[in-house]
Amino acid sequence: MLTLKDVTVRLGGVRILRNVDLKIEKSSTVALIGANGAGKTTTLRTIMGLTEMTGQIEFDGAVLSKVAPSRRPGLGIGYAAEDRRLFSGFTVEENIKMPGQVAGYSDADLAAKMERVYEILPELKEMAKRPAGAVSGGQGKMVALGRALVIGSKLIMLDEPFQGLAPALAHKYADALRKLRNRDREVTLIITESNPDLLRKFAERTLVIERGEIREARSHITTG
Amino acid sequence: MNVQLFALAIVDGVSYAALVFLVAVGLTLIFGVLRVLNVAHGSFYAIGAYTTASVGGAIFAAGFSPWLAFPLMIVAAVLVGTLIGGPIEKFLLSRIYHLEDVLQILVTFAVFLILEDFQRLVWGVQPLFEATALNQLGTVTVFGITYTAYQLIFLPVVAVLVLVGLRLGLRRTLTGRLITAVTEDREAAITIGIDAEKVYLITFIVGASLAALGGALASATTSVVPGMGADMIVLSFAVVATAGLGQIEGAAITALMIGLGRSFAVYVWPEMQVLVPYLIMFGVLLVRPQGLFGGIEARKI
Ligand SMILES: Nc1ncnc2c1ncn2[C@@H]1O[C@H](COP(=O)(O)OP(=O)(O)OP(=O)(O)O)[C@@H](O)[C@H]1O
Ligand SMILES: [Mg+2]
């Protein structure tokens, strides 16, 4: 349901992605691993429309690469960037709600989505009223996940969600992903990580990015 | 200086500050969101004044109610902001956001020159004067001085309403929240579905309309003449720089300081009248280069 066809991305004159062909099935959980600087972030940003690319991306029957970047979340794509990118002037809850408000969800719809977010990430409830600028880096990762959950009904992309999390928080975060996986079998998950061990337990499929090419990992554990 | 002159200077300063604030707050709003210093901003002020004075003159001569002067100002301001400001952002500025500041300023300066010629073409060089709104509100006597209610009460009230309305609008309405989000992080805003281009356009139209409203209100108190836009843009640059770029409340306080400074100079040391705003600006910027209310890492709007 997500297909990259001959996708090439150049940044500062260097080809970061080279003629990538990739198919990701609906409802799958995919780990995208690679060394620092390999192009994991670039791949997710390209799917969000934040880079100049050639080639074509299809998603859910539409040519995603022709859709304006700001309209992509509305197709059901949630994205949590590597560096959180919360809006510091708003509360945690306002941050999480915002994609839903932008997409024009009804109050009832939004309330239901928020319910689901708090069910998956109960620790967000305690900090709901805090300004997003006043949460720690790790907590901010949780908020960014919550924000991606609100809009990501079909595809959720998380860029290095475990990076910088203390073990306890990393556990909670992993729990949240597991809960999400169990509750919502439809949604497709793409998670990048520079430490492949962290995602072994989750991912049904592991992709490795290297020298601008994306290929299947030689061995991967399927736990479903 | 006796009490009456003192009161006169204050009223003068406050009513002038109200006009300057309307223009400056539009400028600072646009800068805060779009990060473009719009030199053509003063032209919206001038065109707002010309439109109000000429249309007002025509409809009052045709026998329409003088009270229409007030709705006319609002309509003129919104029309100028939308019909002239809108296309400028959509077709011109939107193409230059990636350019260096200096080039952006040059482009908006070119727009300013074109709009100056446009005014000469449409309204000629004869001063226009249309004070129906001013006369309509009558006069008020305080401290033994008779002053127009328009300048003593109406202009400051409009300025305060705009200030409060902007703040509440940015905080409470969805559009306002989207503007705030795009201001903080345009790319993050896009990834949650915010159409940043539309937000830029709306912001520019609001900012341009505020400048035009300033001109519309000013047209009742003074002759509308060529060059008024240039004077106003320089003054509002001084206000915005003194306050700190992107500071809305700061622009209000600074406009008041500069307005009062200027009007006291008129009575105390008239030769300095024109210079006072810039002296205040230089004084402040020497001590605080980021402006009175600007943070080091400028918090925008
Ligand atoms: N704006 C840019 N201009 C030029 N090169 C860039 C730009 N952004 C990223 N790069 C380069 O593109 C390559 C891929 O970067 P990317 O951020 O996608 O890597 P990553 O796999 O996410 O790395 P990390 O694990 O460190 O997050 C890097 O070599 C980086 O230096
Ligand atoms: Mg990365």
Side-chain angles (χ1 to χ4, degrees):
Chain A
M1 55 102 71
L2 178 71
T3 314
L4 277 69
K5 287 185 182 161
D6 197 24
V7 169
T8 295
V9 175
R10 281 192 178 77
L11 294 176
V14 183
R15 279 203 299 175
I16 308 298
L17 297 183
R18 301 162 180 247
N19 312 91
V20 169
D21 285 300
L22 182 64
K23 205 176 211 136
I24 290 176
E25 297 307 326
K26 191 173 166 180
S27 318
S28 56
T29 306
V30 176
L32 179 60
I33 62 173
N36 293 123
K40 303 179 293 294
T41 300
T42 305
T43 305
L44 300 194
R45 286 172 55 81
T46 301
I47 297 169
M48 291 311 292
L50 302 175
T51 62
E52 295 275 339
M53 58 160 274
T54 60
Q56 183 162 304
I57 302 178
E58 289 163 17
F59 173 70
D60 208 23
V63 181
L64 189 68
S65 39
K66 292 235 168 75
V67 177
S70 67
R71 292 188 179 273
R72 298 185 192 193
L75 301 176
I77 304 178
Y79 167 63
E82 194 169 4
D83 45 355
R84 299 172 293 140
R85 312 287 283 265
L86 304 177
F87 299 109
S88 62
F90 296 97
T91 67
V92 164
E93 186 165 84
E94 287 169 336
N95 266 275
I96 300 172
K97 278 183 172 170
M98 205 181 274
Q101 292 170 327
V102 175
Y105 288 177
S106 69
D107 287 352
D109 253 7
L110 193 55
K113 297 269 185 200
M114 291 304 289
E115 186 94 7
R116 172 164 164 262
V117 169
Y118 286 141
E119 206 181 302
I120 292 171
L121 292 160
E123 27 303 288
L124 287 183
K125 207 154 198 170
E126 290 142 41
M127 42 176 158
K129 300 285 178 264
R130 300 227 319 250
V135 299
S136 77
Q139 292 169 328
K141 288 251 175 195
M142 300 287 217
V143 181
L145 173 60
R147 194 169 66 176
L149 288 180
V150 162
I151 190 84
S153 54
K154 291 186 179 154
L155 172 64
I156 294 178
M157 300 195 293
L158 308 171
D159 198 353
E160 306 219 21
F162 296 101
Q163 188 191 52
L165 294 194
L169 207 53
H171 258 290
K172 282 186 184 169
Y173 200 106
D175 272 348
L177 291 184
R178 227 167 275 131
K179 261 191 262 178
L180 167 70
R181 189 71 288 178
N182 292 337
R183 277 209 45 171
D184 202 335
R185 298 228 149 256
E186 294 286 286
V187 72
T188 307
L189 271 176
I190 304 178
I191 307 171
T192 72
E193 187 51 70
S194 39
N195 176 359
D197 293 334
L198 270 172
L199 289 177
R200 283 267 152 79
K201 283 183 247 136
F202 280 116
E204 298 155 353
R205 187 177 171 200
T206 303
L207 298 169
V208 182
I209 179 163
E210 211 173 5
R211 274 180 246 103
E213 283 161 19
I214 298 182
R215 54 172 177 77
E216 303 293 328
R218 259 182 287 274
S219 68
H220 56 266
I221 301 161
T222 44
T223 49
Chain B
M1 187 181 212
N2 63 28
V3 176
Q4 282 166 352
L5 270 187
F6 187 78
L8 203 58
I10 288 193
V11 173
D12 249 353
V14 170
S15 76
Y16 189 69
L19 294 175
V20 175
F21 165 71
L22 289 175
V23 183
V25 79
L27 185 68
T28 214
L29 179 73
I30 289 171
F31 181 82
V33 180
L34 285 65
R35 312 307 288 174
V36 169
L37 214 40
N38 177 28
V39 180
H41 196 68
S43 306
F44 300 127
Y45 171 81
I47 296 173
Y50 270 118
T51 308
T52 307
S54 57
V55 175
I59 63 175
F60 304 135
F64 285 94
S65 160
W67 288 109
L68 281 181
F70 297 96
L72 169 66
M73 289 174 178
I74 294 176
V75 172
V78 173
L79 283 182
V80 170
T82 310
L83 298 183
I84 300 179
I88 288 176
E89 197 286 330
K90 193 161 175 64
F91 299 112
L92 191 64
L93 298 188
S94 65
R95 287 163 211 267
I96 62 163
Y97 291 131
H98 62 282
L99 297 182
E100 281 168 57
D101 298 354
V102 185
L103 292 174
Q104 292 177 342
I105 289 175
L106 276 178
V107 171
T108 63
F109 184 61
V111 174
F112 165 78
L113 294 177
I114 293 168
L115 289 178
E116 283 292 297
D117 280 344
F118 167 79
Q119 291 159 44
R120 273 178 194 145
L121 202 70
V122 177
W123 290 287
V125 291
Q126 288 300 317
L128 287 183
F129 190 58
E130 174 41 64
T132 303
L134 184 86
N135 298 332
Q136 208 56 23
L137 291 185
T139 58
V140 183
T141 305
V142 266
F143 292 113
I145 306 176
T146 302
Y147 222 90
T148 65
Y150 186 87
Q151 281 162 297
L152 179 68
I153 301 166
F154 184 67
L155 290 183
V157 167
V158 171
V160 170
L161 285 180
V162 165
L163 175 62
V164 174
L166 261 183
R167 198 27 95 199
L168 287 184
L170 282 171
R171 238 172 236 160
R172 301 276 164 84
T173 69
L174 182 58
T175 306
R177 290 158 161 269
L178 302 190
I179 291 175
T180 312
V182 171
T183 306
E184 177 167 352
D185 189 339
R186 179 184 157 102
E187 194 179 271
I190 291 172
T191 66
I192 64 163
I194 299 176
D195 185 345
E197 287 171 18
K198 197 160 120 196
V199 166
Y200 274 26
L201 178 62
I202 292 172
T203 306
F204 194 82
I205 288 177
V206 170
S209 298
L210 286 172
L213 181 64
L217 290 162
S219 71
T221 66
T222 176
S223 307
V224 182
V225 290
M228 71 186 289
D231 291 346
M232 194 42 121
I233 191 62
V234 176
L235 202 58
S236 46
F237 269 136
V239 168
V240 168
T242 308
L245 289 160
Q247 303 294 319
I248 292 176
E249 286 79 5
I253 295 169
T254 311
L256 205 54
M257 267 169 47
I258 286 182
L260 287 173
R262 183 177 166 280
S263 70
F264 274 94
V266 173
Y267 297 102
V268 182
W269 193 2
E271 297 80 23
M272 292 299 289
Q273 180 207 338
V274 192
L275 269 182
V276 162
Y278 311 109
L279 291 179
I280 294 177
M281 176 174 86
F282 285 124
V284 167
L285 294 186
L286 272 180
V287 186
R288 279 182 69 88
Q290 71 274 34
L292 275 181
F293 305 94
I296 299 290
E297 166 57 29
R299 193 190 74 100
K300 316 131 224 161
I301 65 165

